[in-house]
Amino acid sequence: GFQSAEGAVFRPSSSYMRFLGGCRVRASCIMTLGIFLYSFYELSSVIIRIVLLGYIPLRHSPNTAMAWLLAIYFWPWMGFLLYAALGSTALPSERIRRHESLLQTLGEKKHAFPKIPDDDSNWLPEDLTRFGALGKKLGDMSITTGNSFTLIDEAEEFLKLLCADLENAGHSVHLLFYIFARDAMTQPLFDALERAAARGVTCRVLVDAVGSKPFLKNDAKYLSERGIRVEEALPSGLLRRTPTMARYDLRNHRKIAVIDGRIGYTGSHNAIEPSYGGKAKGRLWRDLTLRLEGPVVSQLQGVFLEDWYVETREMLFSEETFPKPERTGNSVIQTVPSGPSYPWQNYQRLVVAALHGAKQRVVITTPYLIPDDELLHAMETAVLSDVRLQLVIPEKSDQLLVGSAAKAYFDELLAMGVEIYLFQQDILHSKTMSIDYDLAFLGTSNFDIRSFALNFELNLVLYGTGETAAIRMIQEKYIAASRRLTAEEWAESPGAMRVVHGVTKLFSPLL
């Protein structure tokens, strides 16, 4: 009890004493539970570190393994969960089975559709002929001749030309985009699709489940109700496996449009207005796409129909989808698809081989630069061979971590002698490379580990002086709109920022 100022004595009731006793018991239980959970966390963290230390290096390259182990060392449970969701690049057996089934069916039904003309590139210089053979071995597609193309570097022009071709479509429209959105600039595309379907044209739209998530949620039904077939590629789930999807960040990054099997588009333009909804504070995405005619369009059609089959089990190969190719010009072009379904990193192999063969000048433009060791060594070898190597990237990236990781390589690249140009104001999203004056690349793949190893990409190889000059002309425009970063300027950058760049570089194989 206790005594008041007036001397009265108060004694706590029995119920109050029971309440205090209960509180002590609960506090004791909470403390015991806390000690148990803490002990469990510490013990399980040690077990996770030890088990994955023996598991991860057996299944990844040293750089990737070290990045994962570093994350797991600092955040054992978070790192373990992320690795469980994103660690494996292996595709589900059902997706592999569908791919093999497609190849078998095509082998049995060669008579069902016209064959793409055989490679007749033996008139090219020996080094380009060998390079074309490498591209064919990697992507199963030959060099094609007799093509014509138009370079498109403005989003408005890209959509205008695509809509015009849709208005003239006679039997089929096939669209595959990573990002497909309905906005003020793309509304005419939706209208053109609707009109094409209304006059009996078969329209198929395949979009990535993550890149086009808002469209699938809000606007896919709009098109479906108007007779346009809409399907999603790589249905996603952070911790959920599907028959054709293994991990959340394996994405279909391709951009393809094929009209009547005769007109094709591919490049870096997505079907969205160029500010991407104000994603980068109003800055515009600067892209580059080719409008194509000729035999190479059959290769674009083949890539689309393969992706469509894997997602839907619907075989579309026929004489209608593959009309007899017609020569429309003199351009020499080869399609090289890449992605986890191939045994090699197709595009990375081609880029590295091209750098090793360079003799005078190389220009690379890319929004995201996270090179692996092979690419860095190839760039260094080119510079040591007195090749002028110019790299053009955005000064401000729309992705904070990726942009920071890219800057971590600046010291090494500048020390090699690589010329770094920082594109001003807008987001340079064009992915190109020119080698000397007779070889060029254009497509959907960035020069980073993700594009090389994880994403499904599509790139074109252009052979010849005229084709390369067209790409180089656009690259010169990018260089003119950039400022050159010098080693002296970069050495004066704040030390704190360089520390941040270094830390993000440690995780670059995972970005």
Side-chain angles (χ1 to χ4, degrees), residues 182-188 273:
R182 186 182 180 189
D183 53 47
M185 188 172 285
T186 62
Q187 184 60 48
E273 55 85 19

Side-chain angles (χ1 to χ4, degrees), residues 157-176:
E157 181 187 5
F158 162 67
L159 290 168
K160 180 180 178 181
L161 289 173
L162 181 56
C163 288
D165 287 328
L166 263 61
E167 297 291 1
N168 295 320
H171 62 77
S172 67
V173 172
H174 293 155
L175 304 181
L176 165 56

